[in-house]
Amino acid sequence: MAALRLGPLLRYVDWDTGGSATIWIEADRPCTARVRCADGSGGTSRTFQIAGHHYALVPVTGLSPGSTTAYEVSLDGILVWPDPGSAFPPSTISTPAVGPTPAPASAPIRTPTSTATSASASTSAPVLRVTFGSCRQAAPPADRRGPHGADALDTLAARLAAEPDALRPDVLLLLGDQVYADQLSRATRRWLAGRRDLREAPGAQVADYEEYTRLYYESWLDPEIRWLLSTVPSLHMFDDHDVIDDWNTSAAWLAEMRATPWWSERVLSGLMSYWVYQHLGNLSPAELDADALYAAIRASPDGTEALRAFAAAADADPASTRWSYRRDFGRSRLLMVDTRAARVLAEDGRAMLDPAEFAWLRENALAGQGRYDHLLIGSSLPWLMPPLIHDAEVWNAALCRGERGDRWARVGEDLRRRSDLEHWAAFPSSFAMLSDLIEEVGTGPRAPATVCVLSGDVHHAYVAEPLIPSTARVFQLTCSPVHNSIHTAVKWGFRLGWSRLGRWLGRGFSRHGRTGRPPVSWRRTGGPWFGNQLMTLALSGRSARLRLDQARKGRSGARLVTVLDRELTSAE
């Protein structure tokens, strides 16, 4: 009898018609998965096999727009979800109401020194709630002392389960480091030690696909997380720890990794498991129907070799695949951008995105301009950083290019790796191109009300705004971690990075590297905040509101505390 090994995860929910969704599961053997909803809608799918594991992504059709319906999952006709005796509410699928979309109101042009009053959202405009964050360790790594504190995603799940009428996110954006392949918990280390000698490379890190599956079980079998992901749609993008710290930081780094005997299996397994556990659910049913790899794997009794060949091609030639994707939620557009695998690493042509990837970003940012009110760019790595760190990264990139000679280039490469100098600023031409694109999208009569870059990675939260003459309000919204920690020295380093002293020190880096001033200036307008946290954007018509909630432990357990609740589209 088939059993449910992991899931269900509610992934895609249709915002065009409100009539369909997809649900991902992992079973313990080949079977037919069926989702049956209380309103009579549902769907079935046969499992496919990868590396001895069995998965299905079930398309659910016939849903009613503007409804919330409970669902159950059966495998070969045997009910496997919800768990008998579960203390959690039923898992549900909520669909958006579909109807005439209010026409966008015009907005006056803003300049860096002017204020603007945003158009009021129509009272009939639907509200889209987008909750986002990154960097979640299910448990602290074995080599780190002390706990991480309350898990923000766990705490959100507990609140929603205890308060059935509470407002739920319409979508969770998980912006990277959903699993940590290089920082393992004590329990996972013990499990690894039972299957191989940890004295051999890669040691107490994940080595292959089977070991990756263990990370997903550890993270997603957490009861609160399992229920939350079964009832709130989620969209994902990888960052470095999903594969390894500093993944693709430089050409020299990559050459060294490829020279090791274990790297090939690690990166292929990382990409394969990401495709199965995270990427597939990012796609719409129409995209899945058009995906030749997905069709081939489903048609084969064992899709392992087909997926392995795909991963090998993606690693050898990043332009051969695209992990980035677009989702439209009514009049809000999300562009989730791959800032890891799509890099160009040659020092004389470094780019965060290769030419085809940036062309995709530009095309989708400008397509249908005027028909969306909010543009969200999901980038695991922040675009706008603390000014000192930005200047240090630009300086470091100049050193590594050889601007100060070979000796400084060697120093720069060592510093790049030790200090994680690999954000947008470390790819100066890409930083300038993204800045220009955001200004272009945000300017003119067809500009959206807001352009927001949503990021994580840096283990603190903040709001920054560029000083550009745009029509739209433009924000860098950074939120991290969901469940992790930060060293006190790093925390003070970030505070210094935002300070006047930090700006002055940054100008010293610029002079030494002969890099000049950044192509755009910006100011911090919120934060920095440290702790386990989640940001939520509420978008309605041309209005936008931002909330930051932190998970804090108390005598009665963990709770979410709101530390920021701010209207983004009103005059400041």
Side-chain angles (χ1 to χ4, degrees):
M1 183 176 66
L4 187 64
R5 179 171 281 178
L6 191 60
L9 274 73
L10 175 59
R11 296 302 311 271
Y12 174 89
V13 171
D14 180 20
W15 274 71
D16 291 328
T17 67
S20 65
T22 61
I23 291 179
W24 181 98
I25 64 100
E26 181 181 350
D28 69 346
R29 65 193 65 191
C31 60
T32 297
R34 180 178 183 181
V35 174
R36 178 183 295 174
C37 299
D39 65 359
S41 58
T44 62
S45 183
R46 188 71 185 170
T47 57
F48 59 89
Q49 178 172 304
I50 301 293
H53 293 256
H54 307 278
Y55 309 94
L57 188 60
V58 183
V60 178
T61 58
L63 295 164
S64 299
S67 68
T68 296
T69 182
Y71 71 87
E72 59 186 29
V73 178
S74 60
L75 301 179
D76 286 342
I78 305 299
L79 184 68
V80 295
W81 186 267
D83 282 333
S86 170
F88 292 95
S91 298
T92 58
I93 303 173
S94 296
T95 58
V98 176
T101 303
S106 60
I109 294 178
R110 295 177 64 250
T111 68
T113 57
S114 69
T115 59
T117 303
S118 66
S120 298
S122 167
T123 56
S124 62
V127 179
L128 170 68
R129 293 180 177 84
V130 180
T131 295
F132 64 95
S134 78
C135 308
R136 179 180 180 269
Q137 290 185 326
D143 57 0
R144 184 171 297 175
R145 295 181 179 178
H148 283 336
D151 184 325
L153 213 54
D154 257 1
T155 308
L156 173 64
R159 189 182 73 179
L160 294 179
E163 302 174 18
D165 295 330
L167 292 175
R168 294 184 180 182
D170 293 297
V171 64
L172 285 172
L173 302 186
L174 304 180
L175 293 171
D177 297 344
Q178 278 72 259
V179 294
Y180 281 70
D182 52 353
Q183 297 178 11
L184 307 184
S185 68
R186 289 183 175 84
T188 297
R189 280 196 182 190
R190 287 194 297 269
W191 180 83
L192 289 186
R195 71 188 303 263
R196 61 179 173 86
D197 188 347
L198 298 188
R199 292 172 296 181
E200 298 179 0
Q205 297 188 25
V206 165
D208 58 24
Y209 187 92
E210 185 64 28
E211 293 177 6
Y212 262 104
T213 67
R214 170 75 183 194
L215 298 185
Y216 285 101
Y217 299 160
E218 183 176 54
S219 183
W220 292 354
L221 285 177
D222 174 305
E224 286 78 14
I225 298 300
R226 192 176 195 183
W227 174 79
L228 180 70
L229 294 180
S230 77
T231 202
V232 177
S234 58
L235 292 170
H236 305 197
M237 179 53 72
F238 49 46
D239 199 14
D240 56 344
H241 289 286
D242 292 275
V243 177
I244 193 170
D245 189 24
D246 297 339
W247 178 30
N248 285 343
T249 193
S250 69
W253 177 93
L254 184 58
E256 289 180 17
M257 297 304 295
R258 285 178 170 170
T260 65
W262 57 271
W263 173 247
S264 177
E265 187 61 35
R266 168 68 158 273
V267 70
L268 297 191
S269 297
L271 294 176
M272 290 170 67
S273 61
Y274 175 77
W275 187 89
V276 170
Y277 285 87
Q278 301 193 57
H279 179 68
L280 268 185
N282 295 330
L283 305 181
S284 69
E287 290 168 325
L288 291 168
D289 288 343
D291 192 303
L293 175 63
Y294 184 53
I297 288 174
R298 294 187 68 205
S300 171
D302 187 344
T304 306
E305 289 308 312
L307 183 56
R308 188 176 183 85
F310 164 82
D315 178 52
D317 178 15
S320 68
T321 191
R322 173 161 294 122
W323 302 104
S324 302
Y325 56 93
R326 166 181 154 182
R327 287 292 311 276
D328 288 345
F329 301 90
R331 293 190 62 86
S332 297
R333 174 168 297 175
L334 169 68
L335 301 178
M336 196 75 95
V337 183
D338 164 20
T339 58
R340 281 290 169 185
R343 295 178 174 184
V344 177
L345 299 179
E347 291 297 342
D348 59 353
R350 274 173 65 86
M352 182 70 85
L353 309 179
D354 64 42
E357 195 74 11
F358 189 82
W360 175 90
L361 175 61
R362 178 179 175 78
E363 176 185 350
N364 283 277
L366 295 174
Q369 195 178 14
R371 295 200 297 269
Y372 60 84
D373 293 322
H374 304 278
L375 176 63
L376 311 179
I377 300 175
S379 168
S380 61
L381 303 177
W383 163 51
L384 302 179
M385 293 277 288
L388 172 58
I389 297 174
H390 176 97
D391 291 337
E393 293 197 355
V394 177
W395 165 75
N396 178 260
L399 296 188
C400 293
R401 284 196 310 271
E403 295 291 339
R404 302 290 295 191
D406 292 343
R407 184 175 69 85
W408 275 106
R410 291 191 295 272
V411 171
E413 177 64 26
D414 181 68
L415 185 60
R416 171 192 275 163
R417 300 187 200 183
R418 291 177 182 273
S419 304
D420 293 339
L421 302 179
E422 53 165 352
H423 302 85
W424 282 90
F427 301 81
S429 63
S430 296
F431 178 88
M433 292 171 68
L434 179 61
S435 301
D436 289 345
L437 176 60
I438 288 173
E439 183 171 349
E440 181 180 357
V441 170
T443 302
R446 296 189 301 166
T450 66
V451 178
C452 298
V453 179
L454 313 181
S455 304
D457 180 69
V458 292
H459 289 211
H460 71 296
Y462 61 88
V463 179
E465 296 183 56
L467 304 178
I468 56 178
S470 62
T471 307
R473 295 295 301 271
V474 179
F475 298 93
Q476 169 69 66
L477 305 177
T478 303
C479 184
S480 167
V482 172
H483 188 225
N484 210 309
S485 58
I486 184 171
H487 294 293
T488 300
V490 178
K491 184 185 298 186
W492 282 107
F494 281 128
R495 292 189 185 278
L496 174 63
W498 286 112
S499 69
R500 289 184 179 180
L501 175 59
R503 290 180 182 272
W504 180 80
L505 292 173
R507 288 195 288 272
F509 283 124
S510 299
R511 287 191 295 271
H512 182 263
R514 304 169 183 150
T515 59
R517 293 295 183 90
V520 62
S521 298
W522 61 95
R523 61 191 178 101
R524 175 175 52 87
T525 58
W529 297 280
F530 297 92
N532 294 326
Q533 48 207 347
L534 291 165
M535 274 184 175
T536 298
L537 271 174
L539 308 173
S540 179
R542 292 183 66 84
S543 73
R545 192 169 192 89
L546 177 68
R547 192 181 74 242
L548 175 67
D549 294 312
Q550 291 187 332
R552 298 179 184 174
K553 288 185 175 180
R555 292 182 178 179
S556 59
R559 62 191 180 97
L560 289 177
V561 176
T562 300
V563 297
L564 174 71
D565 190 355
R566 170 184 168 187
E567 182 71 33
L568 296 182
T569 44
S570 65
E572 294 291 337

